[in-house]
Amino acid sequence: MKQAEEVLEVSVGALCDFAARQGDLDHRFTPGPSALEGAQWHRRRAAAQSEGVVAEVAVAAECAGLRVRGRIDSVVAAEGRLEEVKTTRGEWRRLSLGQQERHRAQLRCYGALWGRQEGREVVHLRRVYLDIRDGSESYCDETVATDVLWAELEERCERYRHWAEAEAAHRRRRNEALEALAWPLPAYRDGQRELAVAVYRAIRHRRSLLLQAPTGLGKTLGTLFPSLKAMPREDVDRIFYLTVRGTARQLALDGLRELLAPLPGRSRTRVLVMMARDTLCEYPDRACQGDSCPLARGFYDRLAAARAAALSVAENSSADLEADETHATPAPSGDAAAGAPAPTTLLDETAVREIARRHEICPYYLAQDLARWADVVVADVNYYFDVHALLHAYAVQEQWRVAVLVDEAHNLIERARQMYSAELREASWREAARGAAPPLQRALRRSRSIWREWRERESGWIAELPEAFLTKLQRLTTDLLDHFSDHAATPAQQDLLFEVLAFVNLAEKLADHSALEWQADTRRLALHNLVPADWLAPRWRQAASATLFSATLTPFNFQRDLLGLPADVFELDLPSPFSAQQLQVKLVTDLPTALAQREHSAEAIASRVSRRFNHHPGNYLVFVSSFAYLRLLHQALLALDPALPVIVQAPGMSPAERQRFLDGFEPGGMRVGLAVLGGVFGEGVDLPGSRLIGAFVVTLGLAPQDARLRLLHQRLADRFGQQRAYAYATLYPGLQRVIQAAGRVVRTPADYGVIELIDPRWQRKELRRLLPSWWPIQAATETVQGADAGHLPVEP
């Protein structure tokens, strides 16, 4: 929707999306043409039309206070007939009734506009369903009086205009309130104001910002506050606060509550939390369609009321969640009417689930709809950066000016690599073949022959994908889509289709940013993304501004190059608010940590941990590079000091098990926790005060030198040169893990503690220079034969 000087303007498509959707939510798999295929068939059909048929006819008119515009696929003026062409793959009747009704509504809107424009009393309407498998067409015809069509259009426009005017009023109230938004604390922490100014400056200049700010400085409030202030002043439509871990989402919500609570009722910024489908789904064993799930049945008939209720809650207070069953917007009265603050309610999991329950609709898809109307969305990074990311799609479709905030941004490189990777399993063919109809059996047998040549290969990395292999995969996708156009797919068959589609989509764009690996033991062909920059660069261009922040982002060129950030990105590295008096940092360089020497040094490391604990009892964490090393050290500790209170991280711990591990670190307690460097306890964990008084970090956290790392190094060297390649592939990721783990010790200005970094390679000045500048470095040696600083070359 666009707003001209006085008249709101809307396309027919957007109008029907809002006002003509009805019936069930239906996400059963119905194969359809791609956008490219649809456009190609539209052009082919238009070119073949006979004389008297005009394609792509523009229409527009004012109706009920809106200017409605659209483009009709084809008009046969002599017969007074309009045609709306929809491409399908297979029998059109397999489309959901909701889809068919939206197509019909769109054509009837065109009929109203054209009939009024041309002065026709009646209009002949034809929906054309064009099956791209064979070019055949099916027709749905109706003849309707123009006055009837215009009355329908007026009713839709009235509903849309009412909502659009309410949205415009909300934006005015929101902007007025945000103009008055005040910093919620008595004063800024050291460096916090500089942080906030840098974020605002980046938004004002439509630039990106790499921001390194230490733990405890207050990055969450420091990034949210200037972004909210920029909404009215810099014409920002939306803020996307993106996180890697759920704990960071909660910090963002706490910060938003603190910032927005003082604002008067009905002026609030709408805040939505996007949750995973597994989290919100009430019927995980049901299909997302009306004949299976009760919350999908009649979804669109109840969506408008649920949406209004949710946005009323977001703009007002928790009292609205207790309102009557209709969830109508309550009239303000008393103190609320006078503008007094009310308790802030954000649209988090609890609120969305409760509103969906009252309106008997699916909470997951309600949240997806609400993402269109929220001012601030807090979500996982995949909602904006994934191949099919919802928030990115909305931003493009609605042409929003978005301020993107990425928390824990040091994790984005690895997360993006995962988003742009895919794999094929030979086992998927066998699973899909079970119970398959004969035509599908033949297609699967024909395509399964692609695996024969792979079975003779040993595991390893592959220079390029054979052209015949990709061609057969593309043929299989066509066969599967054609078959499923007329036959239901089993879960295994649908999984195979999605697996192949994802792989083909990435394989068709295979370049030096990715590589292929054949895993002979599991019969898997994996496409691994190595350099996500090429994929992410368009997402940064789409955003009006993007701020990436973390305690461990330097060197900035590492992030800029691998994330594909613009060359003009702002960079800011803020000093720590903590003093050197709060921390002891000891470098233990005489204990060998190389793989071949670990058994030899485990006893000495255990002795050092035991002595520290017995001399200064309290809570400590010990980080090592692998579970194998962890078990070795645990055995050494048990043998040396059986009374030592040790808890140990286990592989694959559930959320409850992880929480029990952390709960063991009580204030004033005495505990030694053994954990894996780079794992779930190595970052995003807050144990302030006496809950943690020391950490030991054993090794540099460097990835093992294997075939993948060597290939990554080569690809990076081709782009950035040998020296940067080694740093980007090996050194910087390892040191980030070390600094993150050590950073668990001092979290607030009141914390004190000790860090011991154990590895002979800390003797090298070039490594020590990469540690935080405020750390007071001390030397501490433990003589054990075999320690050697030479295991890490400065360059490969």
Side-chain angles (χ1 to χ4, degrees):
M1 174 194 70
K2 293 184 178 179
Q3 188 166 6
E5 292 183 3
E6 295 183 359
V7 180
L8 293 170
E9 183 176 302
V10 63
S11 69
V12 168
L15 177 65
C16 291
D17 275 343
F18 180 84
R21 299 175 82 180
Q22 57 184 275
D24 296 348
L25 181 72
D26 196 330
H27 279 264
R28 79 184 78 209
F29 181 67
T30 51
S34 67
L36 179 61
E37 288 173 323
Q40 289 172 338
W41 276 94
H42 268 265
R43 288 194 296 270
R44 185 182 303 179
R45 185 179 190 275
Q49 294 283 12
S50 58
E51 188 176 350
V53 179
V54 183
E56 298 293 314
V57 176
V59 287
E62 286 192 20
C63 180
L66 291 179
R67 179 166 178 79
V68 186
R69 53 180 169 76
R71 192 171 294 273
I72 305 168
D73 285 334
S74 58
V75 174
V76 186
E79 301 176 20
R81 188 176 78 236
L82 311 184
E83 295 181 339
E84 176 67 11
V85 181
K86 300 298 181 184
T87 53
T88 68
R89 186 186 293 273
E91 172 57 51
W92 67 272
R93 291 181 181 83
R94 291 198 68 218
L95 296 172
S96 70
L97 293 177
Q99 288 176 289
Q100 295 178 43
E101 184 55 37
R102 186 191 175 285
H103 299 160
R104 181 170 180 261
Q106 191 172 347
L107 181 55
R108 289 171 77 91
C109 288
Y110 289 139
L113 295 170
W114 188 82
R116 178 64 65 96
Q117 177 179 294
E118 300 297 321
R120 303 283 181 131
E121 290 187 6
V122 296
V123 182
H124 303 292
L125 305 176
R126 170 172 287 178
R127 278 179 287 152
V128 180
Y129 288 101
L130 193 163
D131 189 342
I132 69 168
R133 296 180 304 175
D134 56 12
S136 62
E137 295 184 358
S138 301
Y139 305 131
C140 297
D141 292 315
E142 58 181 329
T143 300
V144 191
T146 298
D147 287 346
V148 171
L149 295 174
W150 190 261
E152 288 181 6
L153 181 64
E154 283 183 319
E155 190 273 333
R156 291 191 179 105
C157 288
E158 285 283 357
R159 277 194 283 154
Y160 187 92
R161 183 175 57 79
H162 176 76
W163 183 265
E165 288 174 349
E167 285 299 290
H170 160 73
R171 184 171 178 129
R172 288 194 298 272
R173 291 194 304 268
R174 179 202 75 184
N175 287 350
E176 289 169 3
L178 291 178
E179 281 282 4
L181 185 69
W183 181 249
L185 302 176
Y188 288 96
R189 296 178 186 174
D190 289 344
Q192 201 172 30
R193 190 176 191 283
E194 186 180 356
L195 181 157
V197 169
V199 173
Y200 190 92
R201 177 170 167 256
I203 295 173
R204 165 168 283 184
H205 293 285
R206 302 292 187 254
R207 301 266 289 277
S208 294
L209 169 65
L210 280 168
L211 172 63
Q212 178 165 280
T215 299
L217 189 140
K219 295 186 288 292
T220 305
L221 280 181
T223 54
L224 281 169
F225 176 68
S227 301
L228 291 166
K229 293 293 288 185
M231 293 191 89
R233 297 179 180 182
E234 306 300 334
D235 196 26
V236 172
D237 296 309
R238 300 291 189 272
I239 297 171
F240 295 160
Y241 191 103
L242 308 175
T243 70
V244 175
R245 297 173 184 264
T247 51
R249 275 199 298 279
Q250 189 55 53
L251 289 173
L253 295 181
D254 293 343
L256 285 162
R257 285 191 176 94
E258 190 172 5
L259 284 163
L260 300 176
L263 300 183
R266 295 188 56 75
S267 299
R268 292 242 167 76
T269 303
R270 299 167 179 167
V271 178
L272 171 70
V273 185
M274 300 294 290
M275 305 298 293
R277 180 173 177 170
D278 292 346
T279 301
L280 284 178
C281 183
E282 301 283 9
Y283 295 95
D285 58 332
R286 309 283 185 89
C288 295
Q289 56 201 55
D291 57 5
S292 177
C293 177
L295 300 183
R297 194 173 306 128
F299 176 88
Y300 290 111
D301 300 330
R302 297 188 291 276
L303 175 60
R307 179 196 297 136
L311 299 185
S312 172
V313 167
E315 292 176 26
N316 289 276
S317 73
S318 55
D320 293 335
L321 209 54
E322 317 297 326
D324 62 36
E325 291 297 320
T326 63
H327 250 255
T329 304
S333 60
D335 289 341
T344 302
T345 294
L346 310 183
L347 291 172
D348 59 8
E349 177 187 349
T350 302
V352 170
R353 194 185 293 276
E354 174 61 17
I355 293 164
R357 184 191 65 79
R358 291 192 177 191
H359 291 269
E360 299 181 273
I361 65 173
C362 172
Y364 175 70
Y365 286 103
L366 171 61
Q368 292 214 336
D369 178 82
L370 293 174
R372 288 181 180 272
W373 313 104
D375 303 304
V376 181
V377 180
V378 180
D380 186 88
V381 290
N382 74 308
Y383 275 96
Y384 186 76
F385 294 109
D386 191 68
V387 179
H388 303 294
L390 178 77
L391 293 180
H392 177 256
Y394 282 172
V396 172
Q397 179 181 339
E398 304 294 339
Q399 299 181 321
W400 288 333
R401 301 174 80 99
V402 177
V404 176
L405 304 176
V406 185
D407 196 357
E408 298 176 317
H410 63 280
N411 287 306
L412 185 56
I413 293 172
E414 196 55 43
R415 280 293 301 273
R417 283 172 173 155
Q418 296 169 13
M419 292 177 202
Y420 293 100
S421 298
E423 71 172 19
L424 295 174
R425 302 180 308 121
E426 184 181 358
S428 298
W429 268 253
R430 293 194 301 271
E431 293 160 7
R434 295 192 186 108
L440 182 57
Q441 288 276 11
R442 288 192 293 272
L444 292 172
R445 277 198 303 271
R446 184 168 56 246
S447 64
R448 195 173 173 186
S449 64
I450 63 178
W451 293 102
R452 290 178 190 146
E453 62 177 279
W454 296 101
R455 293 173 193 152
E456 307 303 321
R457 294 184 183 221
E458 295 183 356
S459 295
W461 293 85
I462 302 156
E464 60 183 3
L465 197 63
E467 186 175 342
F469 181 86
L470 185 56
T471 301
K472 288 181 179 180
L473 284 179
Q474 291 165 332
R475 169 68 186 277
L476 175 61
T477 61
T478 301
D479 289 342
L480 291 173
L481 289 168
D482 287 348
H483 180 78
F484 297 150
S485 296
D486 299 317
H487 304 83
T490 66
Q493 292 163 1
Q494 190 166 304
D495 288 346
L496 173 63
L497 175 61
F498 292 156
E499 188 176 304
V500 174
L501 284 172
F503 189 92
V504 168
N505 180 45
L506 295 175
E508 288 175 339
K509 304 173 184 68
L510 187 62
D512 66 340
H513 52 65
S514 301
L516 295 156
E517 182 190 17
W518 169 242
Q519 301 165 4
D521 53 342
T522 57
R523 300 280 179 85
R524 294 171 187 254
L525 181 63
L527 189 156
H528 298 285
N529 177 253
L530 302 174
V531 184
D534 297 29
W535 294 104
L536 297 181
R539 304 299 167 98
W540 306 124
R541 288 195 294 269
Q542 174 62 37
S545 174
T547 295
L548 296 82
F549 56 100
S550 168
T552 51
L553 273 188
T554 54
F556 287 132
N557 60 326
F558 172 46
Q559 306 294 334
R560 186 180 61 245
D561 287 346
L562 290 192
L563 293 175
L565 286 159
D568 64 353
V569 61
F570 290 139
E571 298 172 355
L572 178 63
D573 184 3
L574 290 170
S576 173
F578 307 135
S579 71
Q581 287 70 39
Q582 291 179 251
L583 187 65
Q584 297 179 55
V585 180
K586 298 185 177 182
L587 303 183
V588 182
T589 59
D590 285 350
L591 292 179
T593 59
L595 182 61
Q597 299 168 302
R598 287 176 185 173
E599 190 167 351
H600 180 61
S601 63
E603 185 176 334
I605 294 172
S607 176
R608 189 168 190 89
V609 172
S610 176
R611 285 203 310 273
R612 163 65 62 177
F613 179 85
N614 287 306
H615 188 61
H616 293 288
N619 291 314
Y620 294 86
L621 276 169
V622 183
F623 294 97
V624 296
S625 57
S626 67
F627 281 105
Y629 202 175
L630 182 146
R631 288 190 292 271
L632 192 65
L633 183 58
H634 185 209
Q635 292 166 5
L637 282 168
L638 290 178
L640 179 70
D641 190 351
L644 196 68
V646 178
I647 54 176
V648 183
Q649 178 185 350
M653 295 174 78
S654 68
E657 290 169 332
R658 294 197 295 266
Q659 191 57 51
R660 282 196 295 273
F661 182 95
L662 294 174
D663 290 344
F665 294 85
E666 299 174 344
M670 293 185 290
R671 184 82 61 173
V672 175
L674 303 185
V676 173
L677 191 61
V680 293
F681 302 117
E683 62 176 280
V685 170
D686 275 307
L687 298 170
S690 61
R691 292 191 68 192
L692 187 67
I693 64 169
F696 300 79
V697 183
V698 184
T699 80
L700 297 184
L702 306 184
Q705 291 286 332
D706 57 13
R708 179 188 180 278
L709 191 63
R710 288 191 291 273
L711 179 63
L712 173 60
H713 178 275
Q714 184 56 54
R715 295 292 176 88
L716 293 174
D718 292 342
R719 287 192 179 213
F720 308 117
Q722 286 288 343
Q723 188 168 355
R724 282 194 179 186
Y726 169 69
Y728 289 2
T730 304
L731 184 58
Y732 295 161
L735 292 186
Q736 279 187 352
R737 288 188 280 270
V738 170
I739 295 169
Q740 281 286 337
R744 302 308 95 204
V745 176
V746 173
R747 309 293 290 172
T748 75
D751 291 347
Y752 292 84
V754 61
I755 297 168
E756 294 202 6
L757 305 180
I758 302 174
D759 195 289
R761 292 165 288 190
W762 288 117
Q763 294 178 41
R764 296 180 173 273
K765 289 182 180 179
E766 62 271 20
L767 292 184
R768 296 199 298 273
R769 282 198 296 266
L770 295 172
L771 294 175
S773 59
W774 73 276
W775 282 10
I777 306 296
Q778 304 174 23
T781 61
E782 187 79 26
T783 302
V784 174
Q785 187 176 2
D788 182 4
H791 293 304
L792 172 71
V794 177
E795 296 180 15

